[in-house]
Amino acid sequence: MSDMPAVFMNVRQVTEYLNLNEKKIYAMAAEGQIPATKLTGKWLFPKALVDRWLLESCHGGLMTDRLILGGSDDPLLQAVAIRLTHKLRTKALFGYTVTGTKLGLELLAKGHADACAIHWGRMEESEVRHPALLQQYSESRNWILVHLFCRSQGLVVRSQDQYRLEDPHQALDYRTRWVVRQEGAGAQRFLKEWLVGHARPYEQLTVSNTVFSERELASVIAKGEADIGPGTLSAAKEFGLGFIPVCEESFDLVVPRNVYFRRLLQQLFEFLQSPDGVMLAQNLQGYDLSRSGRLVWSADGE
């Protein structure tokens, strides 16, 4: 018999491990209350995630001294994360790793992130689109969706090119060099929808660069390595660039239920609603914080 520790436990093993009856374990697995996966009709329980789930259940969670955000990039959220980190000093870690919407949700589903920032279309459609996106993941049964802010989304250009590239025919000319985002990023989804509205296939763009963040995209345009790309008003203004507004979009946060009441997460919401947060958003430009912290969706409709 191998001495290697079990990576996955079956129902009998997890029953013994947690000192619960099998009926209770089956019910918890079916309702998504415990980390589990079904393979060929049998439940398996990843021991590492079960251990983490136990720790998270203890007095508000053992990991209440850190909060790791993944998902979509945003200059305001980056600025807030930096300020909270310096405010907390050595008391806790507040981290924000930009991954794009889709990869962020995958990391959240795997338990590698504590929350995920997302944007996936125009503001007026977000209350339908965002839940529909989350429901592609079985783990969404334990997720809730909280609104962070609305922001201006559009096309970033150099100031001297703005008047010319406001004409879609010029922006879509083969001589215009585009910088785009990675697949799975909300900005890339926005770009492809904008192209559909102008009856232009994505494959016909002259793409000079693919980047992975708002600042990287703005930097490429500012250095003259590309002429235009999808991004936010705040990123454009930070680099002294021009901006062609297209739509307002909702920027939301996906949070597991057991993370929602962590003090660190509540501090994020509190900062966005504070005078300092409002002033920061005004300085960065392109934000509406009037509904920040509002619960948008939960799987059980509560």
Coordinates of all heavy atoms in Angstrom, one line a residue, residues 105 116-118 126-132 134 143-148 250-256 260 269 293-299:
L105 N -12.3 34.0 -13.2 CA -13.4 33.1 -12.8 C -12.9 31.6 -12.6 O -13.3 30.9 -11.7 CB -14.5 33.2 -13.7 CG -15.3 34.5 -13.7 CD1 -16.4 34.5 -14.8 CD2 -16.0 34.6 -12.3
C116 N -13.3 37.8 -7.6 CA -12.9 38.0 -9.0 C -13.7 39.2 -9.6 O -14.9 39.2 -9.5 CB -13.3 36.8 -9.9 SG -13.0 37.0 -11.6
A117 N -13.0 40.2 -10.1 CA -13.6 41.3 -10.8 C -13.9 41.0 -12.2 O -13.1 40.4 -12.9 CB -12.6 42.5 -10.7
I118 N -15.1 41.4 -12.6 CA -15.5 41.1 -14.0 C -16.2 42.3 -14.7 O -16.8 43.1 -14.0 CB -16.5 39.9 -14.0 CG1 -17.9 40.2 -13.4 CG2 -15.9 38.7 -13.4 CD1 -18.9 39.2 -13.6
S126 N -25.7 44.2 -18.2 CA -24.9 43.5 -17.2 C -25.6 42.6 -16.2 O -25.2 41.5 -15.8 CB -24.0 44.4 -16.5 OG -24.7 45.3 -15.7
E127 N -26.8 43.0 -15.9 CA -27.6 42.3 -14.9 C -28.1 41.0 -15.4 O -28.6 40.1 -14.7 CB -28.7 43.1 -14.3 CG -28.2 44.3 -13.4 CD -29.2 44.9 -12.5 OE1 -30.3 44.3 -12.3 OE2 -28.9 45.9 -11.9
V128 N -28.0 40.8 -16.7 CA -28.4 39.5 -17.4 C -27.1 38.8 -17.8 O -26.9 37.6 -17.5 CB -29.3 39.7 -18.6 CG1 -29.5 38.4 -19.4 CG2 -30.6 40.4 -18.2
R129 N -26.2 39.5 -18.4 CA -24.9 38.9 -18.9 C -24.0 38.4 -17.8 O -23.5 37.3 -17.9 CB -24.1 39.9 -19.7 CG -24.7 40.2 -21.1 CD -23.6 40.9 -21.9 NE -24.1 41.2 -23.2 CZ -23.3 41.6 -24.2 NH1 -22.0 41.7 -23.9 NH2 -23.8 41.9 -25.4
H130 N -23.9 39.1 -16.7 CA -22.9 38.7 -15.7 C -23.4 37.4 -15.0 O -22.7 36.5 -14.8 CB -22.7 39.8 -14.7 CG -21.8 40.9 -15.2 ND1 -21.5 42.0 -14.5 CD2 -21.2 41.1 -16.4 CE1 -20.7 42.8 -15.2 NE2 -20.5 42.2 -16.4
P131 N -24.7 37.3 -14.5 CA -25.2 36.1 -14.0 C -25.1 34.9 -15.0 O -24.7 33.8 -14.6 CB -26.6 36.4 -13.6 CG -26.6 37.8 -13.3 CD -25.7 38.4 -14.3
A132 N -25.4 35.2 -16.2 CA -25.3 34.1 -17.2 C -23.9 33.6 -17.4 O -23.7 32.4 -17.5 CB -25.8 34.6 -18.6
L134 N -21.5 33.7 -14.9 CA -21.2 32.9 -13.7 C -21.8 31.5 -13.7 O -21.2 30.6 -13.2 CB -21.7 33.7 -12.5 CG -21.2 35.1 -12.3 CD1 -21.5 35.6 -10.9 CD2 -19.7 35.2 -12.5
W143 N -21.6 31.5 -5.0 CA -21.1 32.8 -5.3 C -22.2 33.9 -5.2 O -23.4 33.5 -5.4 CB -20.5 32.9 -6.7 CG -19.3 32.1 -6.9 CD1 -18.5 31.5 -6.0 CD2 -18.6 31.8 -8.2 NE1 -17.5 30.8 -6.5 CE2 -17.5 31.0 -7.9 CE3 -18.9 32.1 -9.5 CZ2 -16.7 30.5 -8.9 CZ3 -18.1 31.6 -10.5 CH2 -17.0 30.8 -10.2
I144 N -21.8 35.1 -4.9 CA -22.7 36.2 -5.1 C -22.0 37.3 -5.9 O -20.8 37.3 -6.0 CB -23.1 36.8 -3.7 CG1 -21.9 37.2 -2.9 CG2 -23.9 35.8 -2.9 CD1 -22.3 37.9 -1.6
L145 N -22.8 38.2 -6.5 CA -22.2 39.2 -7.3 C -22.6 40.6 -6.7 O -23.7 40.9 -6.5 CB -22.9 39.1 -8.7 CG -22.3 40.0 -9.8 CD1 -20.9 39.7 -10.1 CD2 -23.2 39.8 -11.1
V146 N -21.5 41.4 -6.5 CA -21.6 42.7 -5.9 C -21.1 43.7 -6.9 O -20.1 43.6 -7.5 CB -20.8 42.8 -4.6 CG1 -21.0 44.1 -3.9 CG2 -21.2 41.6 -3.7
H147 N -21.9 44.8 -7.0 CA -21.5 45.9 -7.9 C -20.4 46.8 -7.3 O -20.5 47.1 -6.1 CB -22.7 46.8 -8.2 CG -22.4 47.9 -9.1 ND1 -22.1 47.8 -10.5 CD2 -22.4 49.3 -8.9 CE1 -21.9 49.0 -11.0 NE2 -22.1 49.9 -10.1
L148 N -19.4 47.0 -8.1 CA -18.3 47.9 -7.6 C -18.5 49.4 -8.1 O -18.6 50.3 -7.3 CB -16.9 47.4 -8.0 CG -16.4 46.2 -7.3 CD1 -15.0 45.8 -7.8 CD2 -16.4 46.4 -5.8
S250 N -20.7 48.0 -16.4 CA -20.8 47.7 -15.0 C -19.6 46.8 -14.6 O -19.3 45.8 -15.3 CB -22.1 47.0 -14.6 OG -22.1 46.7 -13.2
F251 N -18.8 47.3 -13.6 CA -17.6 46.5 -13.2 C -18.0 45.9 -11.8 O -18.2 46.6 -10.8 CB -16.4 47.5 -13.0 CG -15.1 46.8 -12.9 CD1 -14.4 46.4 -14.1 CD2 -14.5 46.6 -11.7 CE1 -13.2 45.8 -14.0 CE2 -13.3 45.9 -11.6 CZ -12.6 45.6 -12.7
D252 N -18.1 44.6 -11.7 CA -18.6 43.9 -10.6 C -17.6 42.9 -10.0 O -16.6 42.6 -10.6 CB -19.9 43.1 -11.0 CG -21.0 44.0 -11.4 OD1 -21.0 45.2 -11.1 OD2 -21.9 43.5 -12.2
L253 N -17.9 42.5 -8.8 CA -17.1 41.6 -8.0 C -17.8 40.3 -7.7 O -18.9 40.4 -7.1 CB -16.6 42.3 -6.7 CG -15.4 41.6 -6.0 CD1 -14.1 41.7 -6.9 CD2 -15.1 42.2 -4.7
V254 N -17.2 39.2 -8.1 CA -17.8 37.9 -7.7 C -17.1 37.4 -6.5 O -15.9 37.3 -6.4 CB -17.5 36.8 -8.9 CG1 -18.2 35.5 -8.6 CG2 -18.0 37.4 -10.2
V255 N -17.9 37.0 -5.5 CA -17.4 36.6 -4.2 C -18.1 35.4 -3.6 O -19.3 35.3 -3.6 CB -17.7 37.8 -3.1 CG1 -17.0 37.5 -1.8 CG2 -17.3 39.1 -3.7
P256 N -17.3 34.4 -3.2 CA -17.9 33.2 -2.5 C -18.6 33.7 -1.2 O -18.2 34.7 -0.6 CB -16.7 32.3 -2.2 CG -15.7 32.7 -3.2 CD -15.9 34.2 -3.4
Y260 N -17.6 36.8 1.7 CA -18.3 38.1 1.6 C -18.2 38.9 2.9 O -18.0 40.2 2.8 CB -19.7 37.9 1.2 CG -20.5 39.2 1.1 CD1 -20.3 40.1 0.1 CD2 -21.4 39.6 2.1 CE1 -21.0 41.3 0.0 CE2 -22.1 40.7 2.1 CZ -21.9 41.6 1.0 OH -22.6 42.8 1.0
F269 N -15.3 47.8 0.1 CA -16.6 48.5 -0.2 C -16.7 49.9 0.5 O -17.1 50.9 0.0 CB -17.8 47.6 0.2 CG -17.8 46.3 -0.5 CD1 -18.2 45.2 0.1 CD2 -17.5 46.2 -1.9 CE1 -18.3 43.9 -0.5 CE2 -17.6 45.0 -2.5 CZ -17.9 43.9 -1.9
G293 N -21.3 48.6 -3.9 CA -21.6 47.7 -2.8 C -23.0 47.0 -2.9 O -23.3 46.2 -2.0
R294 N -23.7 47.3 -3.9 CA -25.1 46.8 -4.0 C -25.0 45.3 -4.5 O -24.3 45.0 -5.4 CB -25.9 47.6 -5.0 CG -27.4 47.1 -5.2 CD -28.1 48.0 -6.1 NE -27.7 47.9 -7.5 CZ -28.2 47.1 -8.3 NH1 -29.2 46.2 -8.0 NH2 -27.8 47.0 -9.6
L295 N -25.8 44.5 -3.8 CA -25.9 43.1 -4.2 C -26.6 43.0 -5.5 O -27.8 43.4 -5.6 CB -26.6 42.2 -3.2 CG -26.8 40.7 -3.5 CD1 -25.5 40.0 -3.6 CD2 -27.6 40.1 -2.4
V296 N -26.0 42.4 -6.6 CA -26.6 42.3 -7.9 C -27.3 40.9 -8.1 O -28.4 40.8 -8.7 CB -25.5 42.5 -9.0 CG1 -26.1 42.3 -10.4 CG2 -24.9 43.8 -8.8
W297 N -26.7 39.8 -7.6 CA -27.2 38.5 -7.9 C -26.6 37.5 -6.9 O -25.5 37.6 -6.4 CB -26.7 38.1 -9.4 CG -27.0 36.7 -9.7 CD1 -28.2 36.2 -10.3 CD2 -26.2 35.5 -9.6 NE1 -28.1 34.9 -10.5 CE2 -26.9 34.4 -10.1 CE3 -24.9 35.4 -9.1 CZ2 -26.3 33.1 -10.1 CZ3 -24.3 34.1 -9.1 CH2 -25.0 33.0 -9.6
S298 N -27.4 36.5 -6.6 CA -27.0 35.3 -5.9 C -27.7 34.1 -6.5 O -28.8 34.3 -7.1 CB -27.2 35.4 -4.4 OG -28.6 35.4 -4.2
A299 N -27.1 32.9 -6.4 CA -27.7 31.8 -7.1 C -29.1 31.4 -6.5 O -30.0 30.9 -7.3 CB -26.8 30.6 -6.9

